Amino acid sequence: MIGYLVEGFDFLTAQTPAGLMTLYWFVLLFEIPRYGVAFLVAALFIRSRPCSSEPLEWTGSVSVIIAGHNEENAIERCVRSLWEQSRKPDEIIVVSDGSTDGMVRTVRSLQREGLVQKVHGTDLRAGKAAAVNLAAQLCSGDVVVNVDCDCSFDRHALKEIVSPFSSPNVGAVAGNILIRHQERSLWTGFQAIEYLVSISLGKRAQDMVGLVSCASGAFSAFRKSAIEAVGGLDAGGGEDLDVTLRLRKANWAIGFAHEAICYTDPPDSARVLVKQRFRWERDAIRLRYRKHGALMNPFSRSFKPLELFHEMEFLLLNVVAALSLPFYFLWMFATYGDLSIPILLGAQCGLMLFDFVLFLLAAWATPKAHALQLVPYLLGYSVLFNNFLRFVRLLAYGQEWIFRSSYQDNYVPDKVHKVRE
């Protein structure tokens, strides 16, 4: 085995730069641009960090809405954590979306304590989008903060997420989401690194160039007049991505509040994680290239060059990269045979180094992430998790393009799918 790897190493070191480019065309086309953008953003962040100017404080009223289904065990912790904020909400509205557990009873009890101002429970489940729209109609705040029941928050999260609304062109602000109980399993550790890099650092990058494309349903804030102007949330999955794209289309700016930290519990097993990511990736294809494809069409009234750039970046680095990976492996083994394994190992070693540096930068940028606890997960994250997610994306994209699977996703009740069809 050692001799085999040495032979592969000798083969790589004998290559000219042009030969290495031929060997690693997949890395050059898809990996280097992805890491390059991340490193550029990290450099910009480092350069801008010494700035000590404080953001303007939002002086308008703030409503927090919580829409959930069968969240009896989570709703009380969520509500109490919101009242521990340095900037308290002006009101909290809770909608129980057809819950069959004791969620309504628990919320009514919180209402009697004065911790919840308005409560509504529906007999039938209509989906999160409908529940959020109902809650938004009941609230009176100038800014509406939408949170998931299973989230808890850093003490200054609410203050930080509403401060960008001091700028009148901001329609929505995404919060910074970190993983709670990141040591629970191997999968939660991997996701904690992923969230740290893709949200804490990645959305900061998007914010720097005005390209935040998704105000997450877990923790985001919306100017009420903006959300009303675009008609609220549409029924169906991916409602957070959908409403953000509609706000962008209506010329509202979307911000990212790096210091507005929300903690959530991710899937802790491979089965649940795959189910979640299949839904996310299928919805992304449906919304970006079916529903909002006009953003990429130069002949459409909705066309905007900045949106085209963003959508093409997603298309290249996510969709095309996922579709190309199997062909790269097949080409590699057909062309180089047994030497393919050390060649691929060489590529993986380089990518591991990139992942390690990027992780350190993301950890430095977000001290509250407790990133040192994640160091033991880095090797598995780089080698296993990243490649595992590529194949999940590949299967999800195939399902959506061929079978339109997002239209049958059980995340949304069947009756809602029928109305949408």
Side-chain angles (χ1 to χ4, degrees):
M1 182 65 179
I2 299 296
Y4 171 65
L5 292 176
V6 170
E7 181 184 356
F9 178 76
D10 291 340
F11 174 77
L12 289 176
T13 55
Q15 297 300 306
T16 64
L20 290 173
M21 290 174 67
T22 301
L23 286 173
Y24 294 123
W25 60 263
F26 182 88
V27 175
L28 290 173
L29 284 176
F30 303 113
E31 300 288 15
I32 296 301
R34 180 167 64 90
Y35 285 105
V37 170
F39 288 138
L40 176 61
V41 171
L44 291 173
F45 167 74
I46 292 169
R47 184 176 179 181
S48 63
R49 193 171 187 181
C51 177
S52 60
S53 59
E54 292 292 330
L56 295 175
E57 186 172 346
W58 170 251
T59 57
S61 56
V62 178
S63 299
V64 176
I65 60 177
I66 310 171
H69 172 74
N70 287 347
E71 299 285 0
E72 176 186 8
N73 296 325
I75 186 64
E76 182 171 354
R77 180 181 63 182
C78 180
V79 168
R80 292 190 183 279
S81 71
L82 288 167
W83 287 110
E84 294 171 357
Q85 290 290 295
S86 59
R87 199 288 184 202
K88 306 257 186 316
D90 294 291
E91 61 178 358
I92 295 179
I93 294 93
V94 180
V95 170
S96 168
D97 180 31
S99 297
T100 55
D101 63 356
M103 179 178 175
V104 173
R105 182 174 60 251
T106 300
V107 177
R108 293 291 185 193
S109 175
L110 294 171
Q111 186 180 28
R112 287 192 291 271
E113 291 184 52
L115 299 178
V116 173
Q117 280 62 55
K118 295 177 185 176
V119 178
H120 189 89
T122 61
D123 293 329
L124 298 175
R125 179 171 169 245
K128 183 174 180 180
V132 170
N133 285 339
L134 176 57
Q137 291 177 11
L138 297 174
C139 74
S140 59
D142 301 307
V143 164
V144 177
V145 180
N146 179 30
V147 305
D148 274 352
C149 291
D150 62 351
C151 292
S152 56
F153 309 92
D154 180 76
R155 187 170 182 271
H156 302 294
L158 200 56
K159 172 187 175 183
E160 295 290 342
I161 202 169
V162 300
S163 66
F165 289 101
S166 300
S167 175
N169 67 324
V170 172
V173 179
N176 190 0
I177 301 174
L178 300 177
I179 298 301
R180 184 173 54 209
H181 305 310
Q182 54 194 22
E183 74 289 344
R184 179 175 294 173
S185 73
L186 192 65
W187 297 103
T188 56
F190 289 161
Q191 289 171 89
I193 298 174
E194 179 196 24
Y195 276 44
L196 184 63
V197 172
S198 64
I199 297 179
S200 295
L201 198 60
K203 283 198 174 180
R204 191 179 186 91
Q206 295 175 346
D207 188 41
M208 286 179 175
V209 293
L211 281 175
V212 177
S213 62
C214 184
S216 170
F219 182 44
S220 290
F222 300 88
R223 192 181 299 273
K224 191 177 182 185
S225 60
I227 202 78
E228 289 175 343
V230 299
L233 275 61
D234 275 2
E239 69 284 341
D240 47 3
L241 173 62
D242 175 55
V243 73
T244 310
L245 291 175
R246 285 190 286 121
L247 286 167
R248 292 184 63 88
K249 191 185 297 186
N251 296 316
W252 288 99
I254 312 299
F256 172 64
H258 182 261
E259 298 296 333
I261 295 177
C262 160
Y263 299 94
T264 189
D265 290 323
D268 58 5
S269 69
R271 181 184 63 82
V272 180
L273 175 65
V274 168
K275 183 177 179 181
Q276 179 200 67
R277 296 311 171 92
F278 265 50
R279 174 166 57 85
W280 285 4
E281 301 295 347
R282 291 187 301 230
D283 286 338
I285 293 296
R286 172 176 56 84
L287 293 169
R288 290 179 183 274
Y289 304 116
R290 288 201 178 109
K291 184 172 183 179
H292 297 292
L295 290 171
M296 301 174 61
N297 182 0
F299 302 102
S300 168
R301 295 175 61 184
S302 301
F303 173 75
K304 296 175 183 175
L306 196 61
E307 302 299 332
L308 174 63
F309 172 81
H310 169 68
E311 295 301 342
M312 292 304 294
E313 178 206 21
F314 181 89
L315 183 66
L316 176 67
L317 300 184
N318 288 272
V319 181
V320 178
L323 295 175
S324 300
L325 187 59
F327 294 101
Y328 179 62
F329 285 150
L330 290 173
W331 171 81
M332 180 67 72
F333 282 100
T335 305
Y336 298 100
D338 291 342
L339 284 175
S340 299
I341 294 177
I343 292 172
L344 292 172
L345 286 174
Q348 187 62 64
C349 288
L351 297 178
M352 284 170 53
L353 178 62
F354 285 164
D355 282 329
F356 182 69
V357 174
L358 197 59
F359 167 78
L360 291 179
L361 290 170
W364 179 76
T366 313
K368 292 182 180 179
H370 304 295
L372 285 179
Q373 300 174 9
L374 299 173
V375 171
Y377 297 93
L378 272 173
L379 177 63
Y381 171 80
S382 185
V383 176
L384 299 175
F385 191 70
N386 278 338
N387 292 305
F388 170 74
L389 287 187
R390 285 192 178 97
F391 284 101
V392 169
R393 290 191 194 102
L394 176 63
L395 293 174
Y397 296 155
Q399 282 188 343
E400 185 58 26
W401 282 120
I402 299 170
F403 302 110
R404 301 170 68 93
S405 299
S406 67
Y407 293 90
Q408 288 82 45
D409 200 314
N410 61 11
Y411 176 75
V412 176
D414 287 339
K415 56 181 175 291
V416 176
H417 281 306
K418 291 176 182 178
V419 171
R420 293 170 64 228
E421 293 171 355

